[in-house]
């Protein structure tokens, strides 16, 4: 399996993507994005978007939410700020260039944290998840949506082959769900609440982690699907 992506590769890749991201990636990621925002809206009012990109998801929220967005890419954040400047999204409180490995927010600030098509691309996924859990209130949720690779069969072989060429473009098709499950078990303060394919084609997987209250024990391990 290919290694984790490094920060320089990602910054270069997404600087190239920023001018065309909405037109090229917006339609491709729309179903997954909306599934993730629908899930995180159920967690409460104050939400952190990790990897907010150009702010395509701003339209998925309303005045009952307070949205904070971060992204490693300066060009992406510049596009998001242009969206904010339109005045159409007063519920977006701020967007900042920030490294998700070191979130500049206090403990237990957010009801929900959402990362759309992000966790498979960061340099140290477990560290990012640790930070997401830290800034989350007890009972709150981390919502991820991503393509998680096929763990067996021909599809897995094809995805591993594609991975050799995909990293240059800021893509990583060979990230397994088991790595997320292992993080939750090692962390001890979160549990996997849900894992499901996103309709209509099931290309993307949505994963929900719930932060446990002090003294609460995780439910039995979620069975692997597919």
């Amino acid at each position: 399996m290919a290694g984790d992506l490094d920060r320089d590769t990602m910054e270069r890749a997404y600087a190239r993507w920023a001018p065309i991201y909405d037109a090229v990636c917006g339609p491709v990621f729309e179903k997954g994005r909306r599934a993730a925002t629908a899930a995180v809206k159920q967690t409460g009012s104050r939400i952190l978007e990790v990897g907010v990109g150009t702010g395509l998801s701003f339209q998925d929220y309303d005045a009952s939410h307070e949205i904070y967005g971060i992204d490693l890419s300066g060009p992406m954040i510049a596009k998001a700020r242009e969206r904010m400047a339109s005045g159409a999204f007063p519920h977006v409180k701020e967007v900042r260039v920030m490294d998700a490995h070191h979130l500049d927010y206090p403990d237990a600030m957010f009801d929900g944290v959402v990362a759309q098509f992000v966790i498979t691309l960061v340099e140290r996924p477990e560290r990012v998840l640790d930070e997401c859990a830290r800034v989350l209130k007890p009972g709150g949720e981390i919502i991820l949506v991503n393509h998680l690779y096929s763990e067996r069969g021909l599809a897995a072989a094809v995805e591993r082959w594609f991975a050799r060429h995909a990293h240059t473009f800021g893509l990583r098709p060979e990230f397994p769900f088991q790595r997320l499950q292992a993080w939750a078990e090692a962390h001890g303060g979160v549990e996997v609440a849900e894992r499901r394919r996103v309709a209509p084609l099931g290309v993307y997987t949505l994963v929900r982690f719930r932060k446990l209250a002090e003294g609460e024990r995780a439910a039995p391990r979620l069975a692997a699907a597919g």
Side-chain angles (χ1 to χ4, degrees):
M1 185 179 297
D4 294 338
L5 303 181
D6 65 88
R7 174 173 176 160
D8 289 344
T9 296
M10 295 308 302
E11 287 193 272
R12 289 195 301 270
Y14 280 88
R16 293 195 296 269
W17 276 113
I20 60 171
Y21 185 87
D22 290 1
V24 174
C25 297
V28 173
F29 293 155
E30 182 177 12
K31 294 291 186 182
R33 186 194 83 224
R34 290 190 170 170
T37 54
V40 80
K41 285 191 294 185
Q42 302 305 309
T43 65
S45 61
R46 184 176 290 171
I47 294 168
L48 174 65
E49 282 228 8
V50 174
V52 70
T54 64
L56 275 173
S57 62
F58 291 170
Q59 63 189 300
D60 300 334
Y61 303 99
D62 58 35
S64 65
H65 299 99
E66 295 181 3
I67 307 303
Y68 296 73
I70 69 155
D71 203 287
L72 185 62
S73 171
M76 288 285 200
I77 287 293
K79 290 284 186 180
R81 286 176 176 156
E82 289 178 11
R83 271 196 164 86
M84 290 178 67
S86 72
F89 308 108
H91 50 278
V92 180
K93 301 307 177 184
E94 69 173 23
V95 294
R96 297 168 60 185
V97 176
M98 190 183 299
D99 185 347
H101 297 83
H102 306 282
L103 294 176
D104 187 20
Y105 291 112
D107 296 355
M109 177 173 174
F110 298 100
D111 300 300
V113 178
V114 61
Q116 307 156 14
F117 310 103
V118 170
I119 202 62
T120 63
L121 303 178
V122 296
E123 188 170 1
R124 290 178 289 158
E126 289 82 5
R127 169 65 184 179
V128 169
L129 289 168
D130 284 344
E131 280 291 275
C132 290
R134 179 184 64 78
V135 302
L136 193 64
K137 297 176 182 177
E141 294 188 0
I142 302 169
I143 311 294
L144 308 180
V145 67
N146 269 101
H147 170 73
L148 299 177
Y149 96 123
S150 305
E151 292 155 17
R152 56 185 179 270
L154 179 60
V158 170
E159 288 167 353
R160 284 193 294 269
W161 175 86
F162 178 61
R164 302 174 197 169
H165 311 282
H167 289 190
T168 301
F169 300 99
L171 303 172
R172 187 180 182 192
E174 80 295 359
F175 195 99
F177 169 75
Q178 275 71 15
R179 187 164 175 182
L180 301 176
Q181 182 89 62
W183 168 77
E185 291 175 356
H187 184 279
V190 298
E191 65 178 358
V192 179
E194 183 183 19
R195 173 195 181 189
R196 62 178 165 88
R197 299 284 188 177
V198 175
L201 300 177
V203 174
Y204 305 125
T205 297
L206 185 142
V207 180
R208 292 172 43 230
F209 297 100
R210 188 177 72 88
K211 185 171 181 178
L212 304 175
E214 186 175 354
E216 184 180 3
R217 299 184 65 179
R221 176 172 176 160
L222 188 70

